[in-house]
Amino acid sequence: MIPSIHERGSRTIGLINYLYGPGTHEEHIDPHLVAAFDPLTPDPGRDPKATYEQLQRLLDQPVNALPTSRRPKKHVWHLSVRAAPEDPILSDQDWAAIARRVVAATGIAPDGDDQACRWAAVRHADDHIHIIATLVRDDGRRPRLHNEARRAQAECRRIEADYGLRRVPPGDGTAAKRPTSAERHKAERQGLERPAREELHQTVRQAVAGAASEAEFFARLKAAGLLIHQRVAPSGDLLGYKAALPGDVNDDGEPIYYAGSTLAPDLSLPRIRRRFPTTHDVHQDEQEAATRRPPAHSHAAVSAPTAARRSATRAAWTALVTFDQDGDGAAAARIAATGEILDTLAQTSAAHTRQQLRDAAWAFERATRSHTRAEYRHVQAMRRAARDLRYSGPALGRGEDGATTAMLIDTLFFLATAAAHWHAQRHHAQQAEAARQAAVHLRAAYAAAAEEPMARLHAQGLRLVQPVRDWAAALLHATTPEIADAVVNEPGWPALAATLTHAYQAGHNPQELLAEAVAPRELDSAGSVSDVLVWRLRHIADLPADAAETPSTRPARHGTPASSPGSARLAGQGGAPQGHRR
């Protein structure tokens, strides 16, 4: 059950007209009163003699009794309470009791207070009610509404338990503000896909992803076509910013600006600045770059999107392996940086994965914020990877390009799963659920991205001679006996056998690679363990992701794994085949 406090208004009659009217799409059915501050309150929905104006005058009476100078400018309070789709349909009596509990909990009408604010609860659909109240008590004072949204949430959790309804995860005050009903209705009237607030929220998040400086961030906002207003101190220092969509104007024709902090708590300028690399980070990057070993396949010509996806997979894999090793601040930063990679991957993805990746990025957005302060010094490699993805351009989704996309999505799936576990352990219910939803979308995106490259690897695996397949199975049993029987019976096993052979032919010790691929993180959430091991092995060994780019599995000059005299020893003792070269 979700309570939503809407923006305060100044016209009681306007809200009454909406609640009793047909609705934007005539979705309001049988609007009527279920409860009110006074049992004798007229109901224009059921009493043909009652009028909207009568109800308005009754609710506004304490407001109008005040001198004009003392009347609040926005005196109309509006809250809706909505049940979950799977909840049973509640009776009017149930909704009346719920309304009384909510107005008491929020401070509108505390129990036993006969001088409280006047209110009425209107039902015009099976699954929700609207409560309208005027913010002047009968004694002329204002109600105490501090933290009324949080108190409404807490009361709804108790109502769910009392009525056996779906238990909605409690919030912690770090969620982005939802569009108001007025903003949603405006978008519907204009034929827009979503309200301006949501459009700005997503655009600003995408501009933040991987940005290395304020200048780059604001350049991205302008390139996206947003109107930007910067707040500058007398000293010339930049204090904050506001953004508006072109064409989104008020009644006076002026742009409607939203401050970054009103779009989401982590989009304020001070919070964005925390993400940028420090001088120390830049110096450390230069040192690492000087000692970094070039990829084994660097001689091959790869596209910019392919190179960016490989770089992002390396950064994501490192984050997965070290996810919770450096404290909560580092884990929170890794979750936030995962969101940045998802945001940029969704922008540059091929058509057949684009929608699922966008849905994953949008769902995961809620998982990126909690009250744990993120320590971004741990994730500059991930942020650089997000930046590289953005500037590499759109992916075509074929060949090595498409295969590295599948490789990256596979790693991001496990990062989202790790984020869900981390949040759940800390009782961050909404964030954990958001990460789980993102993982579902990532699984679907993976299926689309991996179909072609896995089919080619599968075909190569089927062409392996029987001794080579036996060698691969023996290797798996020797290295990971707890999962070997299940893996060799999966449909994806031939692709894994081909990958083990490719790793051996490239000069690697396949057993060491397998141990590295299995050790860091659980595999229980994998749809196909063999698929996961394929991508992890190809990433760790820096093998081409697509079979079309992979060396043939025909015997190498030093012999195939199966024909090598040391192959039996490899399976039984973990040694390398005779003639193996590192």
Side-chain angles (χ1 to χ4, degrees), residues 57 63 77 120 148 189 194 198 235 289 335 341 350 403 428 492 562 572:
R57 284 194 296 270
V63 179
W77 187 85
E148 79 263 36
R189 289 195 307 271
R194 54 186 170 184
E198 285 189 354
S235 62
I335 293 172
I341 290 178
H428 304 162

Side-chain angles (χ1 to χ4, degrees), residues 248-267:
D248 184 35
V249 297
N250 58 22
D251 293 339
D252 296 325
E254 299 170 337
I256 300 176
Y257 283 95
Y258 294 81
S261 59
T262 65
L263 297 175
D266 57 344
L267 295 182

Side-chain angles (χ1 to χ4, degrees), residues 104-450:
T106 56
I108 289 293
D111 289 335
D113 187 347
D114 58 2
Q115 297 294 309
C117 295
R118 299 188 176 194
W119 61 274
V122 177
R123 183 181 187 184
H124 56 212
D126 287 337
D127 63 347
H128 70 279
I129 58 170
H130 291 262
I131 300 174
I132 177 175
T134 46
L135 297 179
V136 175
R137 294 163 46 88
D138 274 4
D139 57 13
R141 295 185 293 119
R142 306 284 181 86
R144 299 181 64 181
L145 296 180
H146 181 64
N147 278 336
E148 79 263 36
R150 186 170 296 180
R151 284 185 279 162
Q153 290 281 358
E155 186 62 29
C156 282
R157 301 296 81 78
R158 291 187 283 268
I159 291 170
E160 290 163 355
D162 292 345
Y163 284 81
L165 306 177
R166 176 191 168 190
R167 307 297 290 272
V168 176
D172 61 1
T174 62
K177 185 177 179 181
R178 295 180 179 179
T180 65
S181 58
E183 290 169 347
R184 289 195 300 269
H185 294 152
K186 180 180 179 180
E188 290 176 1
R189 289 195 307 271
Q190 295 177 343
L192 301 177
E193 185 177 343
R194 54 186 170 184
R197 181 188 296 276
E198 285 189 354
E199 187 70 29
L200 286 167
H201 179 190
Q202 184 176 56
T203 303
V204 174
R205 275 188 60 83
Q206 291 172 346
V208 170
S213 66
E214 282 182 21
E216 184 177 8
F217 167 62
F218 285 113
R220 290 181 181 184
L221 292 182
K222 292 176 181 177
L226 301 189
L227 304 177
I228 305 299
H229 176 77
Q230 295 179 337
R231 186 162 58 92
V232 181
S235 62
D237 294 332
L238 182 60
L239 300 178
Y241 74 98
K242 296 187 293 186
L245 286 178
D248 184 35
V249 297
N250 58 22
D251 293 339
D252 296 325
E254 299 170 337
I256 300 176
Y257 283 95
Y258 294 81
S261 59
T262 65
L263 297 175
D266 57 344
L267 295 182
S268 68
L269 187 58
R271 295 281 293 274
I272 290 173
R273 282 171 172 157
R274 294 180 193 170
R275 302 181 185 233
F276 298 149
T278 63
T279 303
H280 173 75
D281 295 330
V282 173
H283 180 64
Q284 187 175 24
D285 290 345
E286 292 172 349
Q287 289 181 322
E288 291 177 358
T291 59
R292 192 176 298 139
R293 179 177 62 86
H297 70 289
S298 59
H299 63 279
V302 296
S303 68
T306 293
R309 279 154 177 71
R310 276 197 170 274
S311 174
T313 302
R314 284 193 293 271
W317 173 255
T318 301
L320 181 64
V321 172
T322 61
F323 186 82
D324 49 10
Q325 292 181 5
D326 303 301
D328 281 357
R334 287 170 183 138
I335 293 172
T338 299
E340 293 192 41
I341 290 178
L342 275 171
D343 282 333
T344 49
L345 184 63
Q347 291 179 75
T348 59
S349 60
H352 65 300
T353 58
R354 187 176 304 145
Q355 190 57 54
Q356 289 292 354
L357 286 172
R358 287 178 177 176
D359 291 343
W362 187 248
F364 196 76
E365 183 272 342
R366 181 65 188 97
T368 61
R369 286 188 308 277
S370 69
H371 287 298
T372 303
R373 183 186 175 99
E375 298 175 0
Y376 286 98
R377 68 180 187 275
H378 294 280
V379 295
Q380 289 308 317
M382 294 183 74
R383 299 199 69 249
R384 286 195 306 275
R387 190 173 189 268
D388 291 344
L389 283 169
R390 180 185 180 98
Y391 293 122
S392 69
L396 298 177
R398 300 190 295 270
E400 186 75 357
D401 186 348
T404 50
T405 298
M407 180 187 290
L408 175 55
I409 294 173
D410 178 77
T411 309
L412 291 173
F413 168 83
F414 283 96
L415 267 176
T417 303
H421 292 331
W422 185 85
H423 280 306
Q425 289 168 357
R426 287 150 185 80
H427 307 291
H428 304 162
Q430 289 187 357
Q431 291 92 330
E433 178 60 25
R436 285 190 286 267
Q437 290 176 5
V440 171
H441 292 301
L442 284 170
R443 192 189 292 276
Y446 168 80

